[in-house]
Amino acid sequence: MFRIQSKTDISRKEFQDQKEEYLKILALYKERMALVMQGGPEQAIKRHKERGKLLARERIDLLVDRNTPFIELSPLAAFDLYNNEFPAAGIVTGIGVIHGKEVMIVANDATVKGGTYVKESIKKHVRAQEIAMENRLPCVYLVDSGGVFLPEQANVFPDKYHFGRFFFNQARLSSMRIPQIAVVMGSCTAGGAYVPAMSDETIIVRNQGTIFIGGPPLVKAATGESVTAEELGGAEVHTMISGVADHLAENDVHAIQICRNIFESIHRHEYQPVVTSAIEEPYYDPEELYGILPIDLRKPVDSREIIARIVDGSMFHEFKEKYAPTLVTGFARIMGYEIGILANNGVLFSETSLKGAHFIELCTSRNIPILFLQNITGFIVGKQYEHGGIARDGAKFVHAVANADVPKFTVIFGGSFGAGNYAMAGRAYEPRFLFMYPNAKISVMGGEQAANVLITVKEDQLRTKGQQLSPEEREQMLQNILQKYEEEGSAYFSTARLWDDGIIDPVDTRRIIGLAIAVSRNKSYSHTRYGVFRM
């Protein structure tokens, strides 16, 4: 491999100005993250601690091996929704390491509305289980939840991917021989009682954890029987009488230690052998990304400058360097792991699509994971390109991405618009993980293009009636559309609705993608089959 020769002059005023602007974007991101990490309101946190309970993230810190990374997923879920009363959607999910094994952790945050579930909480929990299935990760459920948030019951109960999907997924994980451990550290009510009941082993905390299908108020209403929560489904009941739980813990710390002890007998199975090399830091400082990444998406950015600050040693073996230059393809290493990279350098043409499909075939034939770096406005449009078969050639690219069985990872570092999102492994194409930078934008098209299209359609409609927009009406319509696309295209709008797995600081890309590759090794990926490529 050859080292990328960066053309960025970090001494130029333009670079320094850009970096200053990006640091403002990053400061806003860190401010929002800090608020979310606090959990629920101060009073709820105080009550939680007075009960002798640890906070959700404190529990995770104790659970994972010391000095190992924990990658929290979708921490800004439900951001700017529900009056921001559900920080992180009331649930913490992420990948950590326990006794050297990568593990998916799902922890309810009882300081947020008692750990109850809204639509985004459900989606986040289900997404965590999907990642566990796809990567064969053992699961730990740190349960402390009142179940469904009843005012939102219509959005969380009846549909395919609503509350019941938790237990469906648990059954499927069990059938795949993927271990699941539940630690009941608080309420575990109604349907939620199946989380520990369907786990391989369950730990429950004395005088704190409870498990029951119907709580005391429901029992009273249904049968007239008066019973306390502890008598109905406390730790002693379930470890000594019902057998629903297997281990009795005295407090949170004890419960977590028992959980760690269980993992001593859970062995990691590496299903995919990979070639690794010594880890080498990038030759160029990753913090230089702050002066390179696009803020104004109309300005082109050479994606090689991004790659140079992510990959080991800034070394890159480029494929078809001179052909179809609007897509950069090639091989590199991240944290010692081989990786194929596709990065946008402009709009997608027919030849770009063919180059992308060819490169994906190389990666799948060699069992090399793929990283997609998105900054894409979409496919080229126009009479010349339609006649040249852009739809046919674009379909080849999309076909290759959809069927590539090697792990795919996507990072949106600029714009992600239109069908370009699909070709570059957007959410619909099931990358193992998809992350966004704070400056990123995602929508069906850019705001200006959408405004021009919608205004043209409106003017055509009015013209058939002998009417037209006044300059003032046209300007007002333009501003309304631009504002709508600015808001709905933002990375925060996306991550709040879990269209991605989280917004990340660009300098953390290496660490996060490195762990993602390590996680993906738990499942074999040597069976790519393609269908019919329209020639």
Side-chain angles (χ1 to χ4, degrees):
M1 294 187 186
F2 298 99
R3 177 167 291 129
I4 295 172
Q5 297 302 306
S6 176
K7 296 176 182 176
T8 299
D9 183 353
I10 63 173
S11 65
R12 289 184 59 195
K13 184 177 184 301
E14 182 182 4
F15 175 89
Q16 297 299 331
D17 290 347
Q18 166 88 358
K19 184 175 181 179
E20 189 175 325
E21 283 303 306
Y22 200 93
L23 288 174
K24 291 177 184 176
I25 293 172
L26 196 65
L28 177 62
Y29 160 69
K30 290 184 175 179
E31 178 184 317
R32 289 174 170 176
M33 283 288 288
L35 280 173
V36 163
M37 293 297 164
Q38 291 174 12
E42 191 175 324
Q43 190 60 36
I45 293 171
K46 183 181 177 185
R47 281 198 307 269
H48 189 85
K49 289 188 171 182
E50 285 172 348
R51 292 169 180 157
K53 298 166 75 172
L54 296 171
L55 300 175
R57 290 178 180 85
E58 291 174 340
R59 289 166 172 169
I60 292 170
D61 287 343
L62 278 179
L63 179 63
V64 299
D65 294 352
R66 286 187 181 181
N67 302 317
T68 60
F70 174 72
I71 305 300
E72 185 169 341
L73 302 171
S74 303
L76 289 165
F79 174 77
D80 256 358
L81 300 172
Y82 312 102
N83 296 315
N84 277 320
E85 292 177 356
F86 281 86
I91 186 170
V92 182
T93 64
I95 299 167
V97 178
I98 303 176
H99 285 299
K101 309 165 191 79
E102 293 97 2
V103 177
M104 175 59 72
I105 301 169
V106 178
N108 300 114
D109 186 349
T111 70
V112 179
K113 300 290 185 181
T116 53
Y117 284 80
V118 289
K119 180 171 68 174
E120 290 72 23
S121 324
I122 300 277
K123 196 170 181 180
K124 188 169 174 178
H125 188 129
V126 169
R127 173 65 181 148
Q129 291 178 314
E130 288 173 348
I131 291 170
M133 278 190 271
E134 194 169 29
N135 297 282
R136 299 193 68 89
L137 295 178
C139 294
V140 175
Y141 305 103
L142 303 180
V143 188
D144 196 348
S145 168
V148 165
F149 184 62
L150 293 178
E152 289 287 315
Q153 69 87 24
N155 295 317
V156 297
F157 173 69
D159 207 355
K160 180 178 180 180
Y161 291 103
H162 283 175
F163 202 80
R165 193 72 179 190
F166 298 172
F167 320 121
F168 175 87
N169 285 343
Q170 282 192 259
R172 296 299 297 270
L173 284 158
S174 184
S175 73
M176 295 167 69
R177 301 295 187 267
I178 297 174
Q180 298 173 86
I181 310 300
V183 188
V184 181
M185 310 172 104
S187 295
C188 198
T189 306
Y194 290 109
V195 172
M198 297 186 74
S199 295
D200 297 9
E201 291 190 58
T202 293
I203 304 153
I204 188 168
V205 180
R206 190 194 299 272
N207 297 322
Q208 184 174 302
T210 55
I211 304 170
F212 30 63
I213 299 299
L218 183 59
V219 170
K220 177 71 173 176
T223 69
E225 181 183 8
S226 294
V227 62
T228 67
E230 198 65 29
E231 291 169 337
L232 184 63
E236 292 191 1
V237 168
H238 287 308
T239 55
M240 300 177 187
I241 301 173
S242 74
V244 170
D246 310 297
H247 306 278
L248 178 63
E250 298 302 324
N251 51 45
D252 282 6
V253 174
H254 186 205
I256 289 165
Q257 185 57 58
I258 295 172
C259 184
R260 285 186 55 80
N261 291 347
I262 290 170
F263 270 87
E264 292 190 63
S265 64
I266 294 176
H267 304 294
R268 178 182 178 180
H269 300 282
E270 295 188 4
Y271 290 89
Q272 185 64 40
V274 296
V275 177
T276 58
S277 302
I279 297 171
E280 185 180 353
E281 291 300 311
Y283 179 78
Y284 302 102
D285 185 352
E287 289 199 7
E288 292 172 5
L289 288 168
Y290 300 148
I292 297 169
L293 290 166
I295 296 174
D296 181 350
L297 298 182
R298 293 170 296 187
K299 293 182 179 179
V301 174
D302 185 349
S303 56
R304 294 176 187 85
E305 300 289 343
I306 311 297
I307 296 169
R309 290 155 179 86
I310 292 174
V311 302
D312 289 10
S314 303
M315 305 292 281
F316 188 56
H317 176 61
E318 191 161 350
F319 173 74
K320 286 187 182 288
E321 179 182 357
K322 303 298 182 183
Y323 179 74
T326 60
L327 183 68
V328 175
T329 57
F331 297 99
R333 289 185 175 86
I334 293 179
M335 304 299 282
Y337 293 108
E338 284 185 308
I339 190 86
I341 297 176
L342 292 91
N344 297 121
N345 241 17
V347 72
L348 297 172
F349 294 89
S350 280
E351 58 270 27
T352 322
S353 302
L354 296 175
K355 175 179 175 179
H358 184 177
F359 183 71
I360 288 169
E361 284 188 305
L362 290 180
C363 292
T364 56
S365 69
R366 298 172 189 176
N367 283 333
I368 296 174
I370 304 172
L371 172 62
F372 293 83
L373 297 175
Q374 281 200 24
N375 181 26
I376 180 65
T377 54
F379 287 88
I380 192 70
V381 297
K383 180 179 176 181
Q384 171 190 346
Y385 304 105
E386 296 294 352
H387 288 195
I390 182 65
R392 176 195 61 223
D393 294 329
K396 292 185 180 73
F397 191 9
V398 170
H399 188 116
V401 173
N403 284 296
D405 191 47
V406 297
K408 303 185 290 268
F409 312 101
T410 303
V411 175
I412 302 175
F413 72 87
S416 179
F417 301 117
N421 169 278
Y422 305 154
M424 291 296 292
R427 189 63 135 183
Y429 287 76
E430 297 189 347
R432 297 286 180 100
F433 298 93
L434 186 154
F435 299 103
M436 298 183 76
Y437 287 172
N439 59 294
K441 302 285 184 185
I442 182 168
S443 54
V444 69
M445 63 179 70
E448 291 182 8
Q449 293 92 328
N452 287 330
V453 168
L454 291 170
I455 288 171
T456 299
V457 169
K458 183 67 174 178
E459 288 177 330
D460 288 346
Q461 290 173 340
L462 290 174
R463 197 173 294 115
T464 63
K465 301 176 184 178
Q467 302 171 351
Q468 64 180 18
L469 288 172
S470 69
E472 293 78 14
E473 289 172 328
R474 194 180 194 283
E475 180 61 24
Q476 185 60 54
M477 187 175 178
L478 173 67
Q479 293 306 318
N480 289 344
I481 296 168
L482 287 175
Q483 182 179 348
K484 177 181 175 66
Y485 271 73
E486 179 67 22
E487 291 173 359
E488 296 182 1
S490 107
Y492 295 102
F493 192 92
S494 167
T495 206
R497 290 156 181 79
L498 287 101
W499 298 346
D500 53 62
D501 293 309
I503 299 173
I504 61 173
D505 185 331
V507 301
D508 291 332
T509 307
R510 275 175 54 73
R511 178 175 63 89
I512 290 170
I513 297 300
L515 180 61
I517 298 170
V519 162
S520 73
R521 294 178 60 192
N522 291 290
K523 182 180 178 183
S524 174
Y525 45 84
S526 57
H527 307 292
T528 295
R529 293 180 62 184
Y530 297 108
V532 176
F533 284 87
R534 182 180 292 276
M535 308 304 288

